Coordinates of all heavy atoms in Angstrom, one line a residue:
V181 N 180.1 92.8 32.8 CA 180.6 91.6 32.0 C 180.5 91.9 30.6 O 179.5 92.5 30.1 CB 180.0 90.4 32.3 CG1 180.4 89.2 31.5 CG2 180.0 90.0 33.8
H182 N 181.6 91.8 29.8 CA 181.7 92.1 28.5 C 181.7 90.8 27.6 O 182.5 89.8 27.9 CB 182.9 92.9 28.1 CG 182.9 94.1 28.8 ND1 182.2 95.3 28.4 CD2 183.6 94.6 30.0 CE1 182.4 96.3 29.4 NE2 183.3 95.8 30.2
V183 N 180.9 90.8 26.6 CA 180.8 89.6 25.7 C 180.9 90.0 24.3 O 180.5 91.1 23.9 CB 179.3 89.0 25.7 CG1 179.2 87.8 24.8 CG2 179.0 88.6 27.2
E184 N 181.7 89.2 23.5 CA 182.1 89.5 22.2 C 181.6 88.3 21.3 O 181.8 87.2 21.8 CB 183.5 89.8 21.8 CG 183.9 91.1 22.6 CD 185.3 91.5 22.3 OE1 186.0 90.7 21.4 OE2 185.9 92.4 22.9
G185 N 181.0 88.4 20.1 CA 180.6 87.4 19.3 C 181.1 87.6 17.9 O 181.0 88.7 17.3
Y186 N 181.7 86.6 17.3 CA 182.1 86.7 15.9 C 181.8 85.3 15.2 O 181.6 84.3 15.8 CB 183.7 86.7 15.9 CG 184.1 88.0 16.6 CD1 184.4 88.1 18.0 CD2 184.3 89.2 15.9 CE1 184.9 89.2 18.6 CE2 184.8 90.4 16.6 CZ 185.0 90.4 17.9 OH 185.4 91.5 18.4
F187 N 181.8 85.5 13.8 CA 181.6 84.3 13.0 C 183.0 83.7 12.7 O 183.9 84.2 13.1 CB 180.8 84.8 11.6 CG 179.5 85.2 11.9 CD1 179.2 86.6 11.8 CD2 178.4 84.4 12.2 CE1 177.9 87.1 12.1 CE2 177.1 84.8 12.4 CZ 176.9 86.2 12.3
D188 N 182.9 82.5 12.0 CA 184.2 81.8 11.7 C 185.2 82.6 10.9 O 186.3 82.4 11.0 CB 183.9 80.5 11.0 CG 183.2 79.5 11.9 OD1 183.3 79.5 13.1 OD2 182.6 78.5 11.3
D189 N 184.6 83.5 10.1 CA 185.5 84.4 9.3 C 185.9 85.6 10.0 O 186.4 86.6 9.4 CB 184.9 84.7 7.9 CG 183.6 85.5 8.1 OD1 183.3 85.9 9.2 OD2 183.0 85.9 7.0
D190 N 185.7 85.7 11.3 CA 186.1 86.8 12.2 C 185.3 88.1 12.0 O 185.6 89.1 12.5 CB 187.5 87.1 12.1 CG 188.4 86.1 12.8 OD1 187.9 85.3 13.7 OD2 189.6 85.9 12.4
T191 N 184.1 88.0 11.2 CA 183.3 89.2 11.2 C 182.4 89.3 12.4 O 182.2 88.2 13.0 CB 182.4 89.2 9.9 OG1 181.6 87.9 10.0 CG2 183.2 89.3 8.6
A192 N 182.2 90.5 12.9 CA 181.4 90.7 14.1 C 179.9 90.2 14.0 O 179.2 90.3 12.9 CB 181.3 92.2 14.4
A193 N 179.4 89.6 15.0 CA 178.0 89.1 15.0 C 177.1 90.3 15.3 O 176.3 90.1 16.4 CB 177.9 87.9 16.0
A194 N 177.1 91.3 14.7 CA 176.4 92.5 14.8 C 174.9 92.1 14.8 O 174.4 91.4 13.8 CB 176.7 93.6 13.8
G195 N 174.2 92.6 15.7 CA 172.6 92.3 15.7 C 172.3 91.0 16.2 O 171.0 90.7 16.4
A196 N 173.2 90.2 16.6 CA 172.8 88.8 17.2 C 172.2 89.0 18.6 O 172.6 89.9 19.4 CB 174.1 88.0 17.3
R197 N 171.2 88.2 18.9 CA 170.7 88.1 20.2 C 171.6 87.4 21.1 O 172.3 86.5 20.8 CB 169.3 87.3 20.2 CG 168.2 88.1 19.4 CD 166.9 87.3 19.4 NE 167.0 85.7 19.3 CZ 166.6 84.9 20.1 NH1 166.0 85.2 21.2 NH2 166.8 83.7 20.0
V198 N 171.6 87.9 22.4 CA 172.6 87.3 23.4 C 171.8 87.3 24.7 O 171.0 88.2 25.1 CB 173.9 88.0 23.5 CG1 173.7 89.4 23.8 CG2 174.9 87.4 24.4
W199 N 172.0 86.1 25.4 CA 171.5 86.1 26.8 C 172.4 85.3 27.8 O 173.1 84.6 27.2 CB 170.0 85.5 26.7 CG 169.8 84.1 26.2 CD1 169.9 83.0 27.0 CD2 169.6 83.8 24.8 NE1 169.7 81.9 26.2 CE2 169.5 82.3 24.8 CE3 169.5 84.5 23.7 CZ2 169.3 81.5 23.7 CZ3 169.2 83.7 22.6 CH2 169.1 82.3 22.6
V200 N 172.1 85.4 29.0 CA 172.8 84.8 30.0 C 172.0 84.0 30.9 O 170.9 84.5 31.4 CB 173.7 85.8 30.9 CG1 174.5 85.1 31.9 CG2 174.5 86.6 30.0
E201 N 172.2 82.8 31.3 CA 171.4 81.9 32.1 C 172.1 81.4 33.3 O 173.4 81.1 33.2 CB 170.9 80.7 31.3 CG 170.2 80.9 30.0 CD 169.8 79.5 29.2 OE1 170.6 78.6 29.5 OE2 169.0 79.6 28.3
D202 N 171.5 81.4 34.4 CA 172.1 80.8 35.7 C 171.9 79.3 35.6 O 171.5 78.7 34.6 CB 171.4 81.4 36.8 CG 170.0 81.2 37.2 OD1 169.4 80.3 36.4 OD2 169.3 81.8 37.9
A203 N 172.4 78.7 36.8 CA 172.4 77.2 36.7 C 171.0 76.6 36.6 O 170.8 75.5 36.2 CB 173.1 76.8 38.0
A204 N 170.1 77.4 37.0 CA 168.6 76.9 36.9 C 168.0 77.3 35.5 O 166.8 77.1 35.3 CB 167.8 77.6 38.0
R205 N 168.9 77.7 34.6 CA 168.5 78.2 33.2 C 167.5 79.4 33.2 O 166.9 79.6 32.2 CB 167.8 77.0 32.4 CG 168.9 75.9 32.3 CD 168.5 74.8 31.4 NE 168.6 75.5 30.0 CZ 169.1 74.9 28.9 NH1 169.7 73.7 29.0 NH2 169.1 75.5 27.8
K206 N 167.5 80.1 34.3 CA 166.7 81.4 34.3 C 167.7 82.4 33.7 O 168.8 82.6 34.0 CB 166.4 81.7 35.8 CG 165.7 83.0 35.9 CD 165.5 83.3 37.4 CE 164.9 84.8 37.5 NZ 164.9 85.4 38.8
R207 N 167.0 83.2 32.9 CA 167.7 84.3 32.2 C 168.0 85.5 33.3 O 167.1 86.0 33.8 CB 167.0 84.8 31.0 CG 167.1 83.9 29.9 CD 166.6 84.5 28.5 NE 166.5 83.5 27.5 CZ 166.3 83.7 26.3 NH1 165.8 85.0 25.9 NH2 166.2 82.8 25.4
V208 N 169.3 85.9 33.3 CA 169.6 86.9 34.2 C 170.1 88.2 33.4 O 170.5 89.1 34.1 CB 170.8 86.5 35.3 CG1 170.3 85.2 36.1 CG2 172.1 86.0 34.5
G209 N 170.2 88.1 32.1 CA 170.5 89.2 31.3 C 170.2 88.9 29.8 O 170.3 87.6 29.4
E210 N 169.9 89.8 29.0 CA 169.7 89.6 27.6 C 169.8 90.9 26.8 O 169.5 92.0 27.3 CB 168.4 88.9 27.3 CG 167.1 89.5 27.8 CD 165.9 88.6 27.6 OE1 165.7 88.1 26.5 OE2 165.2 88.4 28.5
G211 N 170.2 90.7 25.6 CA 170.3 92.0 24.8 C 170.6 91.6 23.4 O 170.5 90.6 22.9
V212 N 171.2 92.6 22.6 CA 171.5 92.5 21.2 C 173.1 93.0 21.1 O 173.4 94.0 21.6 CB 170.6 93.3 20.3 CG1 171.1 93.2 18.9 CG2 169.3 92.8 20.5
M213 N 173.8 92.2 20.3 CA 175.2 92.7 20.0 C 175.3 94.0 19.1 O 174.4 94.2 18.3 CB 175.9 91.6 19.1 CG 176.1 90.2 19.8 SD 177.5 90.4 21.0 CE 177.7 88.7 21.6
D214 N 176.1 94.8 19.5 CA 176.3 96.0 18.8 C 176.9 95.9 17.4 O 177.2 94.7 17.1 CB 177.0 97.2 19.6 CG 178.5 96.9 19.8 OD1 179.0 96.0 19.2 OD2 179.1 97.6 20.7
E215 N 177.2 96.8 16.7 CA 177.9 96.8 15.3 C 179.3 96.1 15.4 O 179.7 95.7 14.3 CB 178.0 98.1 14.6 CG 178.8 99.2 15.2 CD 178.3 99.9 16.5 OE1 177.2 99.8 16.7 OE2 179.2 100.5 17.1
K216 N 179.8 96.1 16.5 CA 181.2 95.5 16.6 C 181.1 94.0 17.3 O 182.1 93.5 17.6 CB 182.2 96.4 17.5 CG 182.5 97.7 16.8 CD 183.4 98.5 17.6 CE 183.7 99.8 17.0 NZ 184.5 100.7 17.7
G217 N 179.9 93.6 17.4 CA 179.7 92.3 18.0 C 180.0 92.2 19.5 O 180.3 91.2 20.0
R218 N 179.7 93.3 20.2 CA 179.9 93.4 21.6 C 178.6 93.7 22.4 O 177.6 94.3 21.8 CB 180.9 94.6 21.9 CG 182.3 94.4 21.3 CD 183.1 95.5 21.6 NE 184.4 95.3 20.9 CZ 185.2 96.3 20.6 NH1 184.9 97.6 21.0 NH2 186.4 96.1 20.1
W219 N 178.6 93.2 23.5 CA 177.5 93.4 24.5 C 177.9 93.3 25.9 O 178.8 92.6 26.2 CB 176.3 92.4 24.3 CG 175.1 92.5 25.1 CD1 174.2 93.4 25.1 CD2 174.8 91.5 26.1 NE1 173.3 93.2 26.1 CE2 173.7 92.1 26.8 CE3 175.4 90.4 26.7 CZ2 172.9 91.4 27.9 CZ3 174.7 89.8 27.8 CH2 173.6 90.3 28.3
S220 N 177.4 94.2 26.8 CA 177.8 94.2 28.2 C 176.6 94.2 29.1 O 175.5 94.6 28.7 CB 178.6 95.5 28.5 OG 179.8 95.6 27.8
F221 N 176.8 93.6 30.2 CA 175.8 93.6 31.2 C 176.4 93.6 32.6 O 177.5 93.3 32.8 CB 174.8 92.4 31.0 CG 175.5 91.0 31.3 CD1 175.2 90.3 32.5 CD2 176.4 90.5 30.4 CE1 175.9 89.2 32.8 CE2 177.0 89.3 30.8 CZ 176.7 88.6 31.9
P222 N 175.5 94.1 33.6 CA 176.1 94.1 35.0 C 176.4 92.8 35.5 O 175.7 91.8 35.2 CB 174.8 94.7 35.8 CG 173.9 95.3 34.7 CD 174.2 94.5 33.5
S223 N 177.5 92.6 36.3 CA 177.9 91.3 36.8 C 176.8 90.8 37.8 O 176.4 91.4 38.7 CB 179.2 91.7 37.6 OG 179.6 90.3 38.0
P224 N 176.5 89.6 37.5 CA 175.5 88.9 38.3 C 176.2 88.4 39.6 O 177.4 88.5 39.7 CB 174.9 87.7 37.5 CG 176.1 87.4 36.6 CD 176.7 88.8 36.3
P225 N 175.4 87.8 40.6 CA 176.1 87.3 41.8 C 177.1 86.1 41.4 O 176.9 85.6 40.3 CB 174.9 86.7 42.5 CG 173.7 87.4 42.0 CD 174.0 87.7 40.7
P226 N 178.0 85.9 42.3 CA 179.0 84.8 42.0 C 178.3 83.5 41.6 O 177.3 83.2 42.1 CB 179.8 84.8 43.3 CG 179.6 86.1 44.0 CD 178.2 86.5 43.6
G227 N 179.0 82.8 40.7 CA 178.4 81.6 40.3 C 178.8 81.2 38.8 O 179.5 82.0 38.2
R228 N 178.3 80.1 38.4 CA 178.6 79.6 36.9 C 177.4 80.0 36.1 O 176.2 79.8 36.5 CB 178.7 78.1 37.0 CG 179.3 77.6 35.7 CD 179.8 76.2 35.9 NE 179.9 75.5 34.6 CZ 181.0 75.6 33.8 NH1 182.0 76.3 34.2 NH2 181.1 74.9 32.7
Y229 N 177.6 80.6 34.9 CA 176.4 81.0 34.0 C 176.9 80.5 32.6 O 178.0 80.2 32.2 CB 176.4 82.6 34.1 CG 176.1 83.1 35.3 CD1 176.9 83.4 36.3 CD2 174.7 83.3 35.6 CE1 176.6 83.9 37.5 CE2 174.3 83.8 36.8 CZ 175.3 84.1 37.8 OH 174.9 84.5 39.1
R230 N 175.8 80.4 31.8 CA 175.9 80.1 30.4 C 175.6 81.4 29.5 O 174.5 81.9 29.7 CB 175.0 79.0 30.0 CG 174.9 78.5 28.6 CD 174.0 77.3 28.4 NE 173.9 76.9 27.0 CZ 172.8 76.8 26.3 NH1 171.6 77.0 26.9 NH2 172.8 76.5 25.1
V231 N 176.5 81.7 28.6 CA 176.1 82.8 27.7 C 175.8 82.1 26.3 O 176.6 81.4 25.8 CB 177.5 83.7 27.6 CG1 177.2 84.8 26.6 CG2 177.8 84.3 29.0
V232 N 174.8 82.6 25.7 CA 174.3 82.1 24.4 C 174.2 83.3 23.5 O 173.6 84.3 23.8 CB 172.9 81.5 24.6 CG1 172.5 81.0 23.1 CG2 173.0 80.3 25.6
V233 N 174.9 83.2 22.2 CA 174.8 84.3 21.1 C 174.1 83.4 20.0 O 174.5 82.5 19.5 CB 176.2 84.6 20.9 CG1 176.1 85.6 19.6 CG2 176.9 85.3 22.1
D234 N 173.0 84.1 19.6 CA 172.2 83.5 18.5 C 172.1 84.5 17.4 O 171.3 85.5 17.5 CB 170.8 83.1 19.0 CG 169.9 82.2 18.0 OD1 170.2 82.4 16.8 OD2 169.0 81.6 18.4
A235 N 172.7 84.3 16.2 CA 172.6 85.2 15.1 C 171.6 84.7 14.0 O 171.6 85.3 12.9 CB 174.0 85.3 14.4
G236 N 170.8 83.7 14.4 CA 169.9 83.3 13.4 C 170.5 82.3 12.3 O 171.7 82.2 12.3
D237 N 169.7 81.7 11.6 CA 170.0 80.8 10.5 C 171.0 79.7 10.9 O 171.9 79.4 10.3 CB 170.7 81.7 9.3 CG 169.8 82.4 8.6 OD1 168.6 82.1 8.5 OD2 170.2 83.5 8.1
G238 N 170.8 79.3 12.2 CA 171.7 78.2 12.7 C 173.0 78.6 13.3 O 173.8 77.8 13.7
H239 N 173.2 79.9 13.3 CA 174.5 80.4 13.9 C 174.2 80.7 15.4 O 173.7 81.7 15.8 CB 174.9 81.8 13.2 CG 175.2 81.6 11.7 ND1 176.3 81.0 11.3 CD2 174.4 81.8 10.6 CE1 176.3 81.0 10.0 NE2 175.2 81.5 9.6
R240 N 174.6 79.8 16.2 CA 174.4 79.8 17.6 C 175.5 79.2 18.3 O 176.0 78.2 17.9 CB 173.1 79.1 18.1 CG 172.8 79.1 19.6 CD 171.7 78.3 20.0 NE 170.5 79.2 20.3 CZ 169.5 78.8 20.8 NH1 169.3 77.5 21.2 NH2 168.5 79.6 21.0
A241 N 176.0 79.9 19.3 CA 177.1 79.4 20.2 C 176.8 79.7 21.6 O 176.1 80.7 21.9 CB 178.5 80.2 19.7
S242 N 177.5 78.9 22.5 CA 177.4 79.1 23.9 C 178.6 78.8 24.6 O 179.4 78.1 24.1 CB 176.2 78.3 24.5 OG 176.5 76.9 24.5
S243 N 178.8 79.4 25.7 CA 180.0 79.3 26.6 C 179.7 79.4 28.0 O 178.7 80.2 28.3 CB 181.0 80.2 26.2 OG 182.4 80.0 26.8
H244 N 180.3 78.9 28.9 CA 180.2 78.9 30.3 C 181.2 79.9 30.8 O 182.3 79.9 30.5 CB 180.3 77.6 31.0 CG 179.0 76.7 30.8 ND1 179.0 75.8 29.8 CD2 177.9 76.7 31.5 CE1 177.8 75.2 29.8 NE2 177.2 75.8 30.8
I245 N 180.7 80.8 31.8 CA 181.6 81.8 32.5 C 181.4 81.5 33.9 O 180.3 81.1 34.4 CB 181.3 83.2 32.1 CG1 179.9 83.6 32.5 CG2 181.6 83.4 30.6 CD1 179.6 85.1 32.3
T246 N 182.4 81.9 34.7 CA 182.2 81.7 36.2 C 182.5 83.3 36.8 O 183.5 83.8 36.4 CB 183.3 80.8 36.8 OG1 183.0 79.6 36.3 CG2 183.2 80.8 38.3
I247 N 181.5 83.7 37.5 CA 181.8 84.9 38.2 C 182.3 84.7 39.6 O 181.8 84.0 40.4 CB 180.4 85.7 38.4 CG1 179.7 85.9 37.1 CG2 180.6 87.0 39.1 CD1 180.5 86.8 36.0
P248 N 183.6 85.2 39.8 CA 184.3 84.7 41.1 C 183.7 85.5 42.2 O 182.9 86.4 42.1 CB 185.7 85.3 40.8 CG 185.6 86.3 39.7 CD 184.3 85.9 39.0
G249 N 184.1 84.9 43.5 CA 183.6 85.5 44.7 C 182.8 84.4 45.4 O 182.6 83.2 45.0
T250 N 182.4 84.8 46.6 CA 181.5 83.9 47.3 C 180.1 84.5 47.5 O 180.0 85.6 47.5 CB 182.1 83.7 48.7 OG1 182.3 84.9 49.4 CG2 183.4 82.9 48.6
P251 N 179.1 83.6 47.4 CA 177.8 84.1 47.7 C 177.7 84.9 48.9 O 178.6 84.7 49.8 CB 176.9 82.9 47.7 CG 177.7 81.8 47.0 CD 179.1 82.2 47.2
A252 N 176.7 85.8 49.1 CA 176.6 86.6 50.2 C 176.9 85.8 51.6 O 176.4 84.8 51.9 CB 175.2 87.2 50.4
A253 N 177.9 86.3 52.2 CA 178.4 85.6 53.4 C 178.2 86.6 54.6 O 178.0 87.8 54.4 CB 179.9 85.4 53.3
V254 N 178.1 86.0 55.7 CA 178.0 86.8 57.0 C 179.4 87.5 57.2 O 180.4 86.8 57.1 CB 177.6 85.9 58.2 CG1 177.6 86.7 59.4 CG2 176.3 85.3 57.9
D255 N 179.3 88.8 57.5 CA 180.5 89.5 57.9 C 181.0 89.0 59.1 O 180.3 88.7 60.1 CB 180.1 90.9 58.0 CG 181.3 91.9 58.4 OD1 182.3 91.4 58.9 OD2 181.1 93.1 58.2
P256 N 182.4 88.6 59.2 CA 182.8 88.0 60.4 C 182.8 88.9 61.7 O 182.7 88.4 62.7 CB 184.4 87.8 60.1 CG 184.5 88.0 58.6 CD 183.3 88.8 58.1
G257 N 182.6 90.2 61.4 CA 182.3 91.0 62.6 C 180.9 91.1 63.0 O 180.7 91.7 64.1
E258 N 179.9 90.5 62.4 CA 178.6 90.4 62.7 C 178.4 89.3 63.8 O 179.0 88.2 63.7 CB 177.7 90.2 61.6 CG 177.6 91.4 60.7 CD 176.6 91.2 59.6 OE1 175.5 90.6 59.8 OE2 177.0 91.5 58.4
E259 N 177.4 89.6 64.7 CA 177.1 88.5 65.5 C 175.8 87.8 65.1 O 175.0 88.4 64.5 CB 176.8 89.0 67.0 CG 178.0 89.5 67.7 CD 177.7 90.1 69.1 OE1 176.7 89.5 69.6 OE2 178.5 90.8 69.6
K260 N 175.8 86.4 65.3 CA 174.5 85.7 64.8 C 173.7 85.6 66.0 O 174.1 85.5 67.2 CB 175.0 84.3 64.4 CG 175.7 84.3 63.0 CD 176.0 82.9 62.6 CE 176.9 82.8 61.4 NZ 177.2 81.6 61.0
G261 N 172.4 85.7 65.8 CA 171.6 85.3 67.1 C 170.4 86.1 66.9 O 169.4 86.1 67.6

């Protein structure tokens, strides 16, 4: 998953802290934006997540993302029992 952060004047949020929370508000990823205001992390399991970018001095934004798919499902070819 790729995240980009910018200020209102379109300058990159370089060095901003960024993290991703699941529905229980547990952090599933965190890092720091690069010089172009970008950060990437491995795709978490399907579901809805909150991405927060915090550049300090009151510069904080968040957005929700949805990772498509279905949670681990039983393969239709598998037998239960």
Side-chain angles (χ1 to χ4, degrees):
V181 176
H182 302 283
V183 178
E184 295 184 6
Y186 298 92
F187 294 104
D188 289 340
D189 65 358
D190 288 332
T191 57
R197 294 182 316 124
V198 58
W199 63 90
V200 182
E201 300 174 343
D202 65 13
R205 298 193 71 131
K206 177 183 173 192
R207 289 189 184 186
V208 297
E210 58 188 304
V212 176
M213 295 281 187
D214 68 13
E215 68 279 350
K216 294 182 179 178
R218 297 178 184 159
W219 177 69
S220 298
F221 67 104
S223 184
R228 188 165 165 85
Y229 296 87
R230 179 176 175 234
V231 178
V232 181
V233 177
D234 188 343
D237 293 329
H239 298 283
R240 178 186 259 192
S242 66
S243 184
H244 286 91
I245 62 170
T246 299
I247 303 299
T250 55
V254 175
D255 182 337
E258 290 183 41
E259 290 186 25
K260 295 181 182 178

